[in-house]
Amino acid sequence: MSERLLEVKDLSIEIATRRGPATIVDGIDLHVDKGETLGIVGESGCGKSLTMLSLVRLLPNKIRVSNGTAAFAGRDLLQLSSRELREVRGGKIGFVFQDPMTSLNPVMKIGEQLIEPLLYHREMSKAEARKRAGELLRLVGIPGAEQRLDSYPHELSGGMRQRVMIAIGLACEPELLIADEPTTALDVTIQAQIVDLVKDLRKRLGMSVVWITHDLALIAGLADRICVLYAGTVVEDAPVEQLFAEPAHPYTRGLLASIPRMDGEDAERLNSIGGTPPEPGRRPAGCPFAPRCPMAQEICRTTVPELQPLRGETTPHRVACHVANRVLEAA
Amino acid sequence: MTAQPAIAPLAAADDATVSLWRDAWTRLSRNKLAVASLAVIAILALVAIFGPWLTPYDFLSQDLEARNLSPNWAHPFGTDELGRDVFSRVIYGTRTAFVVAIVVTGIAATLGVVLGAVAGYFGGLIDRFVMWCTDTTMSVPQLLLVVVINASLKPPLVNFMEAQYELTRNPFFRNSIIVDFVLVFGSMALILWPPYARLIRAQVLSIRNRPYVTAARALGLSTPIIISRYVIPNSIGPLIVAISAGLGNAMVLESAFSFLGVGVNPPIPSWGNMISDGLQVWRNHAHLLAAPAIVLGLATVAFSFLGDGLNDALNPKGSK
Amino acid sequence: MSTALLRIENLRKHFPVRLGAFGEKQAVVHALDDVSFEIAEGETLSLVGESGCGKSTTGFAILNLHKPTSGRVVYKGEDIAVFDEKRMRPIRRDLQIVFQDPYSTLNPRMTVGEAVGEPILFHKLATRAELPGRIERLLGDVGLNARFAQRYPHELSGGQRQRVAIARALACEPRFIVCDEAISALDVSIQAQIINLLVDLQAKYGLTYLFIAHDLAVVRHISDRVGVMYLGRFAELGTRQQVFSNPLHPYTKALMSAVPEADPVAERTRQRQILTGDVPSPLDPPSGCRFHTRCPIAMEQCRSVVPEWHDRGAGHFVACHAVAG
């Protein structure tokens, strides 16, 4: 149907602890098509950020990829030399991080921070790069863009800083923009501005976007497809409408039921999921969600479920659950 | 009446829980370098305490027949140019080093903690004055300050002592060694207190605004309880680390001053003045330099590794 | 509506700050200006708004954790805003708070049992002999096993710590709890647990909540009444029904419109009204109506005249020139 841009296969990440390596990400399979927006949803510690950081080898100390491949435009990102990797970082893949307050260098003017990747990746002259930087700031909707090039980060508001971060991420016209909770630190009216901006830019520039978030409501209006992560595995992967209309994994159902709605009836109680996610190194033997799952069977406690198409081979809706069919019947 | 939990009680994963201090001790004891350092320090401390019973010779007794001997069975570290036993002198030097380090660090830390806490807690003009004092002290070169204090205060003090002795015939005033120690303690404490003051002030400032202190206020707890149960226990870790490193630092400083002749003066043995003496003859009698220098090096390295180990042990967040 | 537990009158909080490299410029942060409302016994009143709107400051000022610059906080017929720490102490038993960040509101050097037991002993609500039983019951109340009493905060997850913080607030047997962004730092599935817990505890002990949050969906779920704040002032105040079904103030409308819906089909067709620009600095708030710089329907008088706090009937208050007429 459409062309694969990124295909991650069987990716595992482990952390070194005193008791030896502990798995944080356990055999993740996911892909991004050209021009597609993929939402990666999960709670803190589920490995959603680490998965994306591992692609460009930006993992923190003591954390390393232990297995897997990540084909990006035909090449395995995990096998690149450091020189090839630098071309990819910021060049082919742009990053926007969560905290716009700390992700910008406070002692550099934002113009310089924008120009830097252009000089490096595009080998532009300084004057060209500066002109392009001005265009980029206009593109992300910063008023008085040319004058703003000489501002320092602290002179901008949080929303404006996040726009600058996006401009830096877009500077080299990447094929893939990875946004890691870019609106979590922002107010809701500013969040709406940023979401609209990214939607608009995607349409205009035709790039693919991976948007990492914990907020299902936010991603509903933004993504084409959603991967739900739990304890370092993909538990469900489906086109956005299908995921919300017909969630097949008990965890996805639990998440959807636990968010209060703006429209629905006044429910007396929220359906919360009991318990807490497993810590790395204390993963249960079978399905990682089994200890919290209301529908868990014997097989769930012993055998790890595979990520499989929901009904037959043709649907793009995949779920990793032994009892998925029963979950759908119960709905 | 029994409580109706909102959801099923979450079971604690494991019941064996240890206090933070014991936890810190466990972490420290897992750190081989820190344990080795602790052992070295313990041995040196025992040597310092039991020095008089350990020394085979009086540190002052000269044996002109046996000058500049290399290490042998009778004199494990050899003898110096006056025929004094170097091993005995190193042991007494250890005493000097420990006494100076403990007293000086004690004075400096007490002064620093009190001034720093006052500055941090009350803020305003008091804070500015104390910080001005620390800045001023720290901006003057340490050696220069000590030299100036010694040079300007020592002669009048010695004269004063002599005059008092003439007047009272009290033998206390005949001993000019006291002047030495008072001046060394005083001047070193004077240059060493500002870091403690800064540390404690920063601790108090940050802890005073921690949410758990606000939470304690919101519970209606009184100020003394908040200070004793919230502020102090949370600032003591960094202080212990600083004191451990400070003890080693004080030993080096004492040796440096004695080496330069502004610290403890001969004939009181100090590693510093032994190194100074040994340096003049090191080509022919290397042991005179090596013995005190190696012990000094060992002591300071031990204190610094112990400080590192304590830092890791007391800050579980940093190591996790 | 039942009787007022707390009456807040013209509450104002200004923080002086120093600016410039040498602190040579003095300025004032207008964190809270002229705020008046009542909190009824047993209700959940929520305050919503964006960062810097003064909602947390309101909570802190009511509890006298930040001394108000002016205004009154009337509790049991007395103005507690002027009380010093010593006179506040017995009152703090009744008026409690749960903070946002469960990682930093617990003393790392105290076990859960010590933390929960401390206020009980301090306020002499139980003898030492009764204490373990009391702690166990409080931990049970918040859904924690009694064995947690021996543990330290760093051994707990975020949700568990927040439960401990709630148990600690409950230890004083309060009538009123300020929940200052108490669920904002938690994961979605844990949030739902804590919200349910708060609702259960309210029913069990007849608590009154001042629920401070920025998540409108959560506020809609939990509140009886809702106050919308903008830059230190109230924009709108009413029952949940009034504010969510019939928002009057243009800021309330914009806020509602910015909240994403967990429904991809509706999101695709939804017409959103997105505010442009940022919230102005509270150092130099706009004259007149503070929202006029971003308001889609601002008129001439909005720039100069502060809109009056206007009752549109049935306790639905709004401060806007455009809807007052």
Side-chain angles (χ1 to χ4, degrees), chain B residues 194-273:
Chain B
Y196 295 103
R198 285 190 165 186
L199 176 77
I200 289 297
R201 172 179 174 270
Q203 284 288 317
V204 170
L205 276 183
S206 85
I207 288 168
R208 204 180 56 168
N209 291 326
R210 290 276 164 85
Y212 56 78
V213 171
T214 316
R217 277 180 61 209
L219 284 168
L221 304 180
S222 62
T223 313
I225 287 191
I226 292 175
I227 290 182
S228 63
R229 292 184 52 114
Y230 290 77
V231 179
I232 290 177
N234 282 297
S235 47
I236 208 114
L239 183 66
I240 289 175
V241 174
I243 285 178
S244 165
L247 285 169
N249 188 16
M251 284 187 180
V252 175
L253 267 184
E254 181 268 322
S255 295
F257 294 154
S258 301
F259 177 86
L260 292 169
V262 290
V264 179
N265 281 352
I268 306 285
S270 145
W271 294 335
N273 57 37

Side-chain angles (χ1 to χ4, degrees), chain C residues 174-210:
Chain C
R175 300 170 69 188
F176 171 72
I177 299 181
V178 174
C179 302
D180 182 18
E181 302 267 16
I183 56 153
S184 307
L186 305 174
D187 271 320
V188 182
S189 71
I190 311 296
Q191 260 189 11
Q193 293 175 7
I194 301 293
I195 291 171
N196 286 341
L197 173 65
L198 288 171
V199 172
D200 291 345
L201 291 171
Q202 181 169 41
K204 186 171 173 191
Y205 293 112
L207 295 167
T208 305
Y209 289 141
L210 180 67

Side-chain angles (χ1 to χ4, degrees), chain C residues 4-13 32-40 43 45 47 57-64 68 70-75 78-81 95 176 178 208 210 225 229 234 237 309:
Chain C
L5 179 74
L6 281 157
R7 205 168 69 242
I8 287 89
E9 295 171 2
N10 304 93
L11 201 62
R12 187 169 294 200
K13 177 70 194 173
L32 200 58
D33 256 327
D34 224 359
V35 164
S36 303
F37 60 98
E38 287 184 353
I39 303 171
E43 77 166 340
L45 171 64
L47 297 183
T57 310
T58 309
F60 273 64
I62 289 175
L63 298 184
N64 207 342
S70 67
R72 283 155 52 88
V73 177
V74 182
Y75 177 69
E78 283 185 291
D79 176 15
I80 60 172
L95 314 178
F176 171 72
V178 174
T208 305
L210 180 67
R225 287 196 302 146
M229 297 184 71
F234 265 77
L237 173 70
W309 194 221

